[in-house]
Amino acid sequence: MSRAPLWRAVAALAVIATSLFLALTMPPRLGLDLRGGTQLVFETQDSPTVKADAAATDRTLEVLHRRADALGVVDPTLVRSGEKRIIVELPGVLDPRRAAEVIGRTAQLSFHAVLGDDGQTRDEDGRPLRLGPAVIGGDGVTDAAARTDPQRGAAWFVTVDFRETAPWQKLTGAAACEPVGDPKRRVAIVLDDKVISSPQVNEGTPCRTGMPGGSTDITGSFTPEEAQNLAVLIKGGSLPVPMKIVEQRTVGPTLGAEAITASAQAAVVGVVLTGAFIILVYRVVGLLAAVALVSYGLISYAALTALGATLTLPGLAGFVLAIGMAVDANVLVFERAREEYGRAGLRAALDQGFRKAWSAIADSNITTLLAAGLLFWLASGPVKGFGVTLSIGVLASLVSALLITRALTQWIIGRVPPRISGIGSIGRVRTWLTARNPFVMRHARRWLVGAAVLVVIAVAGLVSRGLNFGVEFTGGRLVEFTTATPVSADAARAAVSGAGFPNAVVQSSNEAISVRTGQIGADDVDRIQRALGGQATKVRDELIGPSLGEELRRNALIALGVALAAQLVYLAARFRWTFGAAAVLALLVDTAAVVGAFAWFGKPIDGVFLAAMLTIVGYSVNDKVVVFDRVRELWAAQRKAPFAQVVNQAILQTVPRTVNTGLGALFILAALAVFGGDSLRDFAIALLIGIVVGTLSSSLVAGPLAIVFERHSKQPPPSPPARRAPRSREGSGAVV
């Protein structure tokens, strides 16, 4: 009796051991939507003297780094995105107004001589001043710190240290030559064209000699926070070009903790249900696949931490969803092994299952990786994390199914009786289909008419109801609050309207209230919060600029279009153009069904919805790839058979895999819908609709379309595969 190759077992153990070590020694990198904090996206602008190109943006990024460090933020993240955008993540900073003022302020600091009291500039007390040219700029400052002195009545001031002492001595020495009380004896300290302090030079300062020491104090009626912010701005330096905020996200730590708990619950419940299902269907090999499924979770988590990938809320959803998709490779292998068992022994059937399922596994995973790559390329913010997580999940599922599951099942096959092995029969579904052999393609036109009716209903929803685009795609502000006691939607709308925002979209669910408006400021948000009552607590605040919203909406359409085009090109190259065209048209039906349902129900169209749609595209193509892979195989062996009969036979043979894979994913999605909270419920609903419609369209839309296209195709049927000499293998006979 042969055993699994030693190298495969050693490799499986090495992967599991390495993953366990990484998971235990490396903490995950949580996104701001999970650990709380503020994300700001700035866009650099051209100034009269400097063009906002990549070099200027890089210099701006250096200044922002110094400011974030001076703020004392733990583990800030600052990266350039494209040529003009900078993404700033500040964990633990829950006041977006302070973060924006300190991080994004231009902060052009300069020190001027005062030439008189007849100018256009006003000092800190509102008195007119006429200033001379700047003597010292921001680049002449080396350090700044906020301090307080009990001898000054505990007033706060900012100490500034200069790079060179000579300019400061020259400036104060010239002012010291003027009479006490004369405006010319003052030195103006200007920040962003505004005089923040204009102190008189002390009486004891020698004329033309100036103040020694190379430092000065900026005094004023500063609060501790104002003094600290000013010190941060001065120490960080001035920005080479101005910036504007195009996106802002703030999430409270409580909401992030709840999201982690909800996703963990969904993962545990989903894994338990999926594991129980595959054990029930595939018995012993199903049990080993469940063990490999747990290993898959470990491998995915370890890969995320090792790569330093940021785990976001959509990323968690992708992690949970990929658990269901990881079952697909196992189901493909086991169902193929069940088919082969009638022609070979148990061990040979398992080997043939792995060998013959490889083509469908590779094609389906490549199409999913295409969708995940598009998400990473075109999405923004937390949704990028979904693309990363999904990609890692796909690769980890291949390792889990083709390495760990194979090593375990090849070790156990031959040690257990065929009836409990899980692949020692063709299965109940296939037995029922074999006995009845229904000719599904007899009603091909009816299926296509039904698909057309579904598309018409979806289009009617788009025309009559429109799409409820979220602020991510329209621009605006979305703020979520929690209250100690439930507030009705009508009461919340009345409160927000009374605060001066009658056109705001207000939704209430239990103790949660969401308010969506146009471009409003932080003071407006505070006014809304006060109107909702003293018990309202802000847990999420998102601001999207109108230009960015338009860009994201455009990118979403591009992503869907490119996804469909990429699938068409891949399928046409991998199979035939007729198969590719049929699959893509069926994908359009799937997409229309989901978009139409969200239009009719008024569900939000946002970045998470985009992630769901691209996942549906990848998942739906998986189904169609499996069907067309079987069509190609059967057609090559039955070149003279009617093509409709070949398609019908392929559909019937792949129904067990389709049903079992779909049920495995539905368990996961049901867990996400129940435990995932409001933020993930719509994601799960979109996928539930997409998977159900996509599963049906693989047989009832893609199949009939392929038949129609082949009638007009002049391309010959595929050639039969080259025969390979059978290999003699110990233990390949039937086990009795």
Side-chain angles (χ1 to χ4, degrees), residues 42-44 46 51-53 57 80-86:
F42 295 100
E43 190 171 81
T44 55
D46 292 340
K51 180 178 176 56
D53 54 11
T57 304
R80 177 163 67 88
S81 175
E83 185 176 88
K84 292 188 175 184
R85 285 190 185 146
I86 296 175

Side-chain angles (χ1 to χ4, degrees), residues 235-317:
K235 185 175 181 179
S238 60
L239 298 178
V241 288
M243 303 187 306
K244 71 174 181 179
I245 294 179
V246 294
E247 181 179 356
Q248 171 211 302
R249 301 175 189 269
T250 300
V251 178
T254 303
L255 194 64
E258 291 175 353
I260 294 175
T261 302
S263 299
Q265 289 175 338
V268 171
V269 173
V271 167
V272 170
L273 291 177
T274 305
F277 172 72
I278 60 176
I279 292 172
L280 178 65
V281 175
Y282 298 111
R283 303 187 181 106
V284 171
V285 294
L287 175 62
L288 299 179
V291 173
L293 196 62
V294 175
S295 302
Y296 153 80
L298 177 64
I299 295 169
S300 299
Y301 177 78
L304 282 170
T305 56
L307 293 175
T310 301
L311 190 57
T312 62
L313 181 58
L316 273 181

Side-chain angles (χ1 to χ4, degrees), residues 231-532:
V232 168
L233 289 170
I234 295 174
K235 185 175 181 179
S238 60
L239 298 178
V241 288
M243 303 187 306
K244 71 174 181 179
I245 294 179
V246 294
E247 181 179 356
Q248 171 211 302
R249 301 175 189 269
T250 300
V251 178
T254 303
L255 194 64
E258 291 175 353
I260 294 175
T261 302
S263 299
Q265 289 175 338
V268 171
V269 173
V271 167
V272 170
L273 291 177
T274 305
F277 172 72
I278 60 176
I279 292 172
L280 178 65
V281 175
Y282 298 111
R283 303 187 181 106
V284 171
V285 294
L287 175 62
L288 299 179
V291 173
L293 196 62
V294 175
S295 302
Y296 153 80
L298 177 64
I299 295 169
S300 299
Y301 177 78
L304 282 170
T305 56
L307 293 175
T310 301
L311 190 57
T312 62
L313 181 58
L316 273 181
F319 183 78
V320 175
L321 175 64
I323 295 173
M325 300 182 72
V327 177
D328 185 42
N330 292 305
V331 171
L332 279 168
V333 170
F334 296 157
E335 287 298 330
R336 198 61 197 249
R338 282 180 167 183
E339 293 182 53
E340 297 296 326
Y341 178 68
R343 298 185 287 270
L346 204 61
R347 184 177 299 280
L350 183 65
D351 290 341
Q352 288 293 314
F354 277 103
R355 185 177 68 83
K356 292 189 174 182
W358 166 247
S359 175
I361 292 173
D363 288 330
S364 60
N365 281 278
I366 287 173
T367 54
T368 303
L369 286 173
L370 283 174
L374 286 171
L375 269 176
F376 183 79
W377 177 40
L378 292 172
S380 67
V383 181
K384 270 188 181 292
F386 181 86
V388 174
T389 307
L390 192 60
S391 301
I392 292 175
V394 168
L395 298 176
S397 70
L398 289 175
V399 175
S400 168
L402 302 180
L403 182 64
I404 298 175
T405 300
R406 189 166 189 176
L408 291 173
T409 53
Q410 287 187 327
W411 173 76
I412 200 67
I413 287 299
R415 300 172 183 268
V416 295
R419 60 185 179 84
I420 67 169
S421 67
I423 59 174
S425 68
I426 63 173
R428 295 180 181 178
V429 175
R430 189 174 284 105
T431 300
W432 185 86
L433 291 172
T434 302
R436 287 162 177 77
N437 192 28
F439 190 48
V440 182
M441 291 297 100
R442 179 183 294 112
H443 307 294
R445 291 185 179 179
R446 295 182 183 178
W447 306 134
L448 293 179
V449 170
V453 171
L454 181 62
V455 172
V456 168
I457 294 174
V459 172
L462 293 174
V463 172
S464 62
R465 302 291 297 271
L467 290 177
N468 178 23
F469 285 109
V471 295
E472 191 167 354
F473 291 151
T474 61
R477 198 157 197 151
L478 174 65
V479 189
E480 293 183 6
F481 304 93
T482 58
T483 56
T485 56
V487 177
S488 68
D490 291 337
R493 289 190 192 98
V496 174
S497 178
F501 305 96
N503 297 324
V505 178
V506 182
Q507 295 177 322
S508 177
S509 174
N510 297 325
E511 290 84 21
I513 300 172
S514 69
V515 180
R516 195 177 78 192
T517 69
Q519 302 290 326
I520 63 174
D523 293 336
D524 299 322
V525 174
D526 292 341
R527 192 159 72 250
I528 292 174
Q529 184 172 359
R530 290 193 299 270
L532 291 173

Side-chain angles (χ1 to χ4, degrees), residues 38-88:
T38 295
Q39 181 193 68
L40 302 169
V41 179
F42 295 100
E43 190 171 81
T44 55
Q45 309 289 304
D46 292 340
S47 71
T49 57
V50 181
K51 180 178 176 56
D53 54 11
T57 304
D58 283 335
R59 295 197 303 272
T60 303
L61 183 61
E62 295 175 3
V63 175
L64 298 189
H65 264 295
R66 293 196 294 268
R67 291 184 183 179
D69 293 339
L71 270 177
V73 179
V74 178
D75 194 23
T77 301
L78 296 94
V79 294
R80 177 163 67 88
S81 175
E83 185 176 88
K84 292 188 175 184
R85 285 190 185 146
I86 296 175
I87 300 174
V88 180

